[in-house]
Amino acid sequence: MVQSNYGKGNDLELDVLALLEEYKSRNPQWFGFRRKPKIVQHDGQSREPDFELTLRSPGEELLVLLECQDRGRNRPDLSDKLHTLKAISDRNITMVIVRETISDALAEPLRKQGIPWRSLSGLRDYLNNKELAWSAFQSHQSIAGPSSAAGKPSGNVVTFKGGAESGFMGRLRRK
């Protein structure tokens, strides 16, 4: 774990940063992220989620906002921040990352807002699955060639759904 003098929330944020940097160094062609991206509201005020992930595959791009929360209770401003980010952002998903599990005090408002959550290990599993999918696509391309029907973007929107514990609900969109 990366050490910090800023408290539990920042410790988790630094651990997520280390995980994201690991994936970016291994997979720069399909994975990118920004730390504390500024998202401007219509009134000129801005909000900054902890991270914005960009997951690319041929013809598609998935944008995910991550907010790290390492407390057993719901911060009053967290629900407001997440609601605002979800409303003003064109990102596909807004997701909360927690260290291990989520408290009922935090789970209920997230559920009501339709915001998924993942543990730190769940985020690693999610990124591993994306990495495997990218590798499989790359293997298919090297065997079948880029002109195969499977290699062409279909133009369809693909929707993934999972329960609150899977922490993933979102849409992929064509570039």
Side-chain angles (χ1 to χ4, degrees), residues 34-39 47-52 65:
R34 295 188 307 154
R35 188 170 186 195
K36 301 286 184 187
K38 189 175 281 190
I39 298 176
R47 297 287 179 135
E48 294 180 356
D50 293 325
F51 299 97
E52 176 188 62
L65 297 180

Side-chain angles (χ1 to χ4, degrees), residues 58 132-142 150-152:
L132 287 172
W134 177 257
S135 296
F137 180 81
Q138 290 297 93
S139 295
H140 174 75
Q141 287 300 302
S142 64
K152 293 181 184 176

Side-chain angles (χ1 to χ4, degrees), residues 43-62:
D43 63 4
Q45 293 184 9
S46 64
R47 297 287 179 135
E48 294 180 356
D50 293 325
F51 299 97
E52 176 188 62
L53 308 183
T54 305
L55 306 171
R56 294 175 204 90
S57 64
E60 299 175 320
E61 186 172 79
L62 177 65

Side-chain angles (χ1 to χ4, degrees), residues 86-100:
K86 193 172 175 184
I88 66 171
S89 171
D90 66 345
R91 281 42 169 211
N92 306 96
I93 304 167
T94 299
M95 187 185 306
V96 173
I97 304 301
V98 297
R99 170 96 30 217
E100 293 175 7

Side-chain angles (χ1 to χ4, degrees), residues 15-139:
D15 289 345
V16 169
L17 176 62
L19 177 66
L20 299 180
E21 286 176 340
E22 173 189 333
Y23 278 88
K24 185 174 184 176
S25 70
R26 286 196 331 234
N27 304 291
Q29 70 279 17
W30 71 267
F31 181 83
F33 75 93
R34 295 188 307 154
R35 188 170 186 195
K36 301 286 184 187
K38 189 175 281 190
I39 298 176
V40 181
Q41 296 175 209
H42 300 292
D43 63 4
Q45 293 184 9
S46 64
R47 297 287 179 135
E48 294 180 356
D50 293 325
F51 299 97
E52 176 188 62
L53 308 183
T54 305
L55 306 171
R56 294 175 204 90
S57 64
E60 299 175 320
E61 186 172 79
L62 177 65
L63 301 173
V64 181
L65 297 180
L66 299 181
E67 185 66 28
C68 299
Q69 175 70 15
D70 201 12
R71 295 170 183 84
R73 57 183 166 72
N74 183 24
R75 291 187 346 234
D77 63 321
L78 180 66
S79 291
D80 179 54
K81 179 179 183 178
L82 294 171
H83 178 75
T84 302
L85 283 171
K86 193 172 175 184
I88 66 171
S89 171
D90 66 345
R91 281 42 169 211
N92 306 96
I93 304 167
T94 299
M95 187 185 306
V96 173
I97 304 301
V98 297
R99 170 96 30 217
E100 293 175 7
T101 189
I102 194 166
S103 70
D104 291 340
L106 181 57
E108 185 61 21
L110 293 178
R111 185 189 61 73
K112 286 181 179 177
Q113 292 183 48
I115 296 174
W117 65 273
R118 283 191 179 274
S119 66
L120 184 58
S121 65
L123 178 60
R124 180 178 294 279
D125 291 344
Y126 172 72
L127 294 174
N128 282 339
N129 288 336
K130 291 294 184 188
E131 187 174 38
L132 287 172
W134 177 257
S135 296
F137 180 81
Q138 290 297 93
S139 295

